[in-house]
Every structure is written in structure tokens, then in C-alpha cells.
Amino acid sequence: MSAHKISWLTGLAWLVIGSVAVSLTNEYQVLVIGTVAITAIVGVGLNILMGLVGQTSLGHAAFYAIGAYVGTIATMKFGLPFPLSMLCAAVISGLAGALLSLPALRVKGPYLAMVTIAFGYFVEQGIAEWKDVTGGWNGIMGIPQPSLFGYVFGSTGIACIAIAISALLIPAYALFASSKWGVVMRATRGAEVAASAIGANLMLVRVIAFALSAALTGVAGCLFAVLNGFISPESFPFFQSIIFLLMVMIGGIGQAAGPLVGAVMVILLPEALSSLAEYRLMFFGGLLLIVLLVAPNGLTGALGHATRRYFKRLTSAVQADHARALSWFSSAHPGLLKLEKLGVVFGGNVALQDVTLQAHTGQITSLIGPNGAGKTTLLNLVTGFYQPSTGAVYLDDKELSSLPGYQVGRSGIARTYQTSQLFGDMSVLENVYFGLLQGRLIGQNLPEQPLKLCAALLSFAGYQGDGNARADSLAHVDRRLVEIARALATRPCMIMLDEPAAGLSAEEKSQLGGVLKNIAAQGIGVFIIEHDMALVMSISEQIHVLDQGKLIASGVPVEIQHNPRVRAAYLGNGESKFFSNITEQINDFAPEHTDVLVVSNLSANYGAANVLNNIDLSLKKNQTACILGANGAGKSTLMRAISGLHKKFTGSIAFDGRDITDLPAHQIASLGLVMVPEGRQVFIELSVEDNIKIGAYARGGLSNEKLEYLYSIFPKLKMIRTRRAGLLSGGEQQMLALARGLAANPVVLLLDEPSLGLAPAIVDELFVRLASLRKEGMTLLLVDQMADMALALSDSSNLLSAGNVVFQGTPEKLKEANLLELAYLG
């Protein structure tokens, strides 16, 4: 049975049961049942906000009060009939919700909740002070009961009206959630960055959701006033907002029948516990806590999950219909993507500088470069996620750089992301359907049978699974393919993919390459950022190379592979001052023969994606070893597994004669195996000196002598010892991260990309410091993109490729084997 049919049956059952109940009970019980129905109406409104767009409000008691007072005043002072009074309550409450959303949606999470709480207190005090209209704290008494054609609705009639409205809202919510508007709203909750890039105006969507939610709450408030016959500011306390929130959570956020089930729980349960007298609220709170612990998705969510497990859902495999997909692409307009002197600065750091390049439709264009080169930043500039500091982006003659992200998404540019940005709680077909909508609430002309077109696009992208499956249940490769299909649904001129092959097997990469070639064959431009050089070189017609935010080369694959500047960016050119000053001292130093770190048969994964395969590695005391490989080879994952930060692995790790395979990261650090992580990761709110002291916490603290020793290694840090770490430059932060690691008196120091994002002069200084540490007998395991400098510093080298060790030996042997060029440049 479909969800829509279930929602209609639920609404009908509630209408019958509720109506019969109020006709057979006393006045007080009618009031209680009517309150259940009215509270359920509020729940549906709050469910639009929480269940569809993922926003939390703790101020809905304010909209409840606005509806109650507006409806009452419209009836008593202006003589409007009750239906018009209720309409006025809905309109005024909805406008209040829309106005509140404008400032409120500039903040998120707890800050948004605080804004709505403040709004609630503002409304409460406003009602209390506007005595001439609202009666102040004395309230309004004798609210007349509604009448129609001379018939006066008593408490039973009002309760029946509330029951009928709440029953109708159950299927109405289900229909709305699956409509165009509902799909767009749910997408903004699931992955707002992706939704905006495809074309959703997040602000407009959330303003509408706030307005609809507040309007329904206003209707409920109007019914509450006439049912009780009296209102005052004390009728709408802040605690009422908490009750509304609990109702939706207990019933099930995003579930059509959730508000009704939640209302029954929060209204009837305290009544059922009334015999417990003053202890009833304690028991009520305890029962609610148990419900939330046992069923975190709410009662209706848990029931739906159990039903799906009991009744095996029939799968609906996506059927190939490439002709339909090709007809969708046929009207896509050819275009030329042009970047002219594009640049961006973040806090004084030049991330991109004067980048000028082109990408043609109908071709595959790749953008490559070392870590930190600015590739993803460039993609974010093109798609409107960032605004450029200099230069411009054009699609044909239309400038895109001044447009917000959602308008760029509607202009013919589609994209995917490094980390999957599917709308996880939506089905595969709904994800692609959102691409057809391009985030538009109105004005989108859809093709006939849009879901069949979505299935055709999925098949064209290579997805052959269940179209009704939830996106968050998919395997890694299927997530990639569905993202591509969703991007194709926007009918783009240019599709931009950020590391689409990350985490894929060799067979899956081959499949992906075929899909990308098929897309380009339909006249759509494919612009890809990718670290798998074998894939890049096999599919690209044009390659652009970034290094440190600058475009250093453009050309066909063969030209790029043999370009000296590209080779220097990936492998180094041996021209750094580091070599002339330090190399002889390094070569004169010999490590001991005792193994201090042994990694055996280690295989690691992220979910279903294997990242490392049967890695064996050993490190001797006083030795410096490097781990090299192209981006995505698994180097950082190996370092995180050794340090205890990544636990999804098999195999064993021994340190200083002790098995540390199952130890948590903090215990591993306390033993002396210390990592300086990629990206520095200093504590930005703390001072330089406090950062260093925290580094020694797990190893017994830091003496003044040790602190002065560290300052002697990094004299610049002593000059800025009281400055907040967040105010330091990238080079200063890297020195601080290194000092923090050394403060722990490490037996082995793991260094993950210490030169990433640093200027060449700072990199020279950094490696000089590392050479000094090596000479003092420090044991170092180094991952760094500066391959030539890492090899010069090391006694032994390890080369990773696609998660496998392809070489272990001396740096000289690695250079002789010519494997670096193959690993880094395909």
C-alpha cells in the first residue's frame, strides 16, 4: 500500500474516531480531545518547518498566540464571521512567520532556536503591554462561539471542526511532501549546498516554509481561543513551544501522521497519569524520554521502519531508455566556459591568482595540480559558491561571477562534489527529479512522464539499481552515478565533477570514464578535477594545471606529461636552497637497526570503499622514512590509521614492541606516537603558548626548559607567544603545529603534508627544521607533496598507488626505477 493511501486512511480513521468520541463524552473530555486535534494542526505546521526544510523553532507558541488574538479581535471588534476570522489569523500569522524568517535564517542550529525563543518572548510581552486591544495580562474573556446560518457551534462542534481540519491535513501533508514544492524543500534539508548549486533559492524556500508553518499554527490558535472562551498571555507560555517540539519529535519528524500521534501522546498521556497527582509530570517526562531513546525517529518512523522490514519492498530496477535521455540532451545549447584573470583572496591569503582558461562543450577538460593548488576553490568560484576578488567567469557571453549560486545552477552549469551531496532521505528518482525542477517552486515546464525521464537519465549515467531506494543506502559507486544523473537532469551546457573517481575500484573507474565520454559525445562539456592520472590522461582532450593558485600549463595529455613545470610541481626540481645547505649533513647520518613501528597487512576503508590494501611497512629507530604517492593514493589514511584516528581497518600495528591495533588515538599519543595532522589544525581560540602546552598534556606536561628549547627551534613563536593561533599565517601555524607535536616528547613523529599551502621560502625553512630534528636523532615518518625534498630528507621511501605499496627501498632506488612519474603523472 502506498504512503499516500495510508495517510488518507489514517486521516479518515481519526475523523471517525474523534467525531464519535466527542459526541459520547462530557464537556471536559470534549475539551481534551479538541485540544489534541488543535495541537495536531500546530504539529503539521511545525512538521513543514522541521520535516521538510530541517529548521527548528522554539517560538511557535508566539504564532499560536498571534492566531488566537487576531481571530478573537476580528470576531469581537470587527464582527467578522468565524471563517474570515480564521483566515485573518492564518494570514497575519503567516506574515509574521515570513518576517521572522528573514533575520532568523541568517543563523543556524542553536542560534536559530535562540532567535525564535526571543521572538516568543517579544510577542508575549507585546500582547501584555497592548492593553487597549488585547486586555493585557487580564486577557480577553467571553469569546463567542462561532455560528453558521443561525446554528451556534458549541464545544462539541468546535472540536469536530478541529478534528476535521487535522484529519484533512494528514493526507495533505503527504501530498505536499511529494509535490514539486515538497521535493525542493526536502532537498534543501538533505544537502543545502548541492540544492543551491542545482538552482534552489534557499532563502525563498525557507521563508515560504516558515510562512506556511506559522499560518497553520495561527489557524490552530484561532480554534484554541473559541474552544476555551478565554485567552491571556499566560495561555501561551514558552513551555508550550517545547510541547509542540516534543510532539513532532515523538510522533516522527517528516511523517504525515507524526503530529497526530505526537499530539495524542503529549495531551492524553498527562491526563491518563492524573491519578499520580504531583508526580504525573515526572512520570510523563520519563515516558517521553523512553520513547525518544527507543524510537529516535519517532513512533510513526519506527512503525514505518518495522513495516518495511516485515513486508519486503518490491524493487524497481532502472530500465535502460537511452533514447529518451538523448532526446533530453538534444536541446542543450553549446557553450564555452571562459575564466578570465580569475583570482580570490581569503584573509590575505591568495588562493587563486590571474587564472585564465577555457573549457569547450562536447569535450572533456581536466584540472589537475598538487594538494592545495586551488582546484576546488576554482570550481567553487565558477559555480557561485565563492565570489571572485578579481576577474570573471563567462558561459558564452553571459557573466556568471556576479550571480548567486542558485542562478548559476539555472544557467547551464551543473556540478558534483568530492564528498557525496545526495539528498539522503529522498529516493534515487526523487534526487534526479529535483534536478529536473532545478530548485524552482514555480515556472518549470516539466517533460511528460518526468519520472520515466529520470529513470532514463539514471540508466544513461550507468546506474542500474532500484530507483525507489533511499539515496543514503547506496553503495559508493552508485552515489557517484546518481549525482551525475542528477546533474544531467538540469540539462547543463557544462558538468563539473570534483574527484568523481575517489574511492572507486579500477573497474568502476573504467565504467566512470565510459560514462564521461558518453556525456561529452552528447555535446555537453565535462570539466573534471581528478587525482587519478591514469584516468585523466585516458579521457581528457585538454588539461589545465594549477600550482599554488596559478595556472602553470595547459595542453593535451602528452604535452602535460612532459611539461617541465608540471613535473616540478609534482616531483620538485631540486632547486630549493634546502638541498645546497643540508643534503651533505643528512647523508652522513645513519639510523639504528631496531624496528620501532611495524605495520602488517593493513587494509583500510571508508564504508564500502577500500582505500588501503595489505600494507606492510616498518620504521627503524632514528630513521626518517617518507610515504609518497599521488593525491588519493591513501597516504593520509595510512597515517590516520597508524595514529588511531581511523579505525576502519584490518591488520595489525605494533609500536615500540607493543600491539596498538585496538588502542584509541589518545592512548597511542600518550605512548609517544604523535601525529602533526594535515592542515595544521591548531586551536585557533588559544594562544600560541597554550597550544604548545596542550601538546604535552598526554605525556606528563611541559617543563619550562622544554618550552624554551622549543622556542629556540622556532624563535618566531616566542615573539608571538601570547597571540591567538587563529591570527597566525599559514607558515606560523605549521611551525606551531610542529612545536605542539614536539612538546609531547615523541618517540616517533608522524608528519602529514606539513608543507601543504605554504610559500616556497617557508617550505625551505620547514625542511631545514626537519633536517635538524633528524640530525638530533628524531624518528620521522613523513607524507609530503614535495617529493624531491621528502626523498632528500629520508633514509627509506615508500610509494603508494591506488592504496597499494608499489615500491619500498632507498630514495636513490626509487628515483632510478622511474616510478614517481608514473604514479604522479600517469
Side-chain angles (χ1 to χ4, degrees), residues 87 301 387 585 607 711:
L87 179 61
Q387 292 297 311
Q585 299 177 32
Y711 282 145

Side-chain angles (χ1 to χ4, degrees), residues 318-454:
V318 171
Q319 300 297 316
D321 188 1
H322 288 185
R324 190 178 181 92
L326 295 180
S327 68
W328 179 248
F329 300 143
S330 64
S331 57
H333 300 292
L336 175 66
L337 179 66
K338 297 181 290 186
L339 280 60
E340 295 185 356
K341 296 186 176 180
L342 197 65
V344 67
V345 178
F346 298 116
N349 178 43
V350 179
L352 281 178
Q353 183 177 353
D354 293 332
V355 175
T356 298
L357 58 82
Q358 294 183 351
H360 294 265
T361 54
Q363 292 185 359
I364 298 178
T365 303
S366 292
L367 181 68
I368 65 173
N371 275 344
K375 302 181 296 297
T376 298
T377 298
L378 183 144
L379 202 62
N380 287 333
L381 286 169
V382 172
T383 55
F385 191 74
Y386 298 150
Q387 292 297 311
S389 303
T390 60
V393 178
Y394 298 92
L395 185 60
D396 286 336
D397 296 325
K398 182 178 181 179
E399 184 177 352
L400 303 181
S401 45
S402 60
L403 300 179
Y406 76 92
Q407 290 189 12
V408 174
R410 296 176 181 178
S411 299
I413 301 290
R415 70 170 292 183
T416 65
Y417 301 84
Q418 285 185 17
T419 303
S420 174
Q421 293 284 324
L422 291 177
F423 312 128
D425 60 350
M426 294 167 60
S427 72
V428 169
L429 284 170
E430 285 177 325
N431 268 267
V432 183
Y433 179 65
F434 178 81
L436 291 182
L437 295 175
Q438 289 189 296
R440 289 183 170 94
L441 297 173
I442 58 175
Q444 175 68 316
N445 294 320
L446 294 177
E448 293 183 7
Q449 298 179 313
L451 291 183
K452 285 192 175 181
L453 174 58
C454 292

Side-chain angles (χ1 to χ4, degrees), residues 44 51 67 71 84 158 230-231 271 285 337 365 427 477 508 573 576 597 725 750 777 813:
V44 174
L84 288 180
I158 298 167
F230 168 76
I231 54 173
E271 293 297 326
L337 179 66
T365 303
S427 72
V477 62
E508 292 165 346
N573 54 17
S576 169
L597 177 67
L750 309 177
K813 293 291 185 182

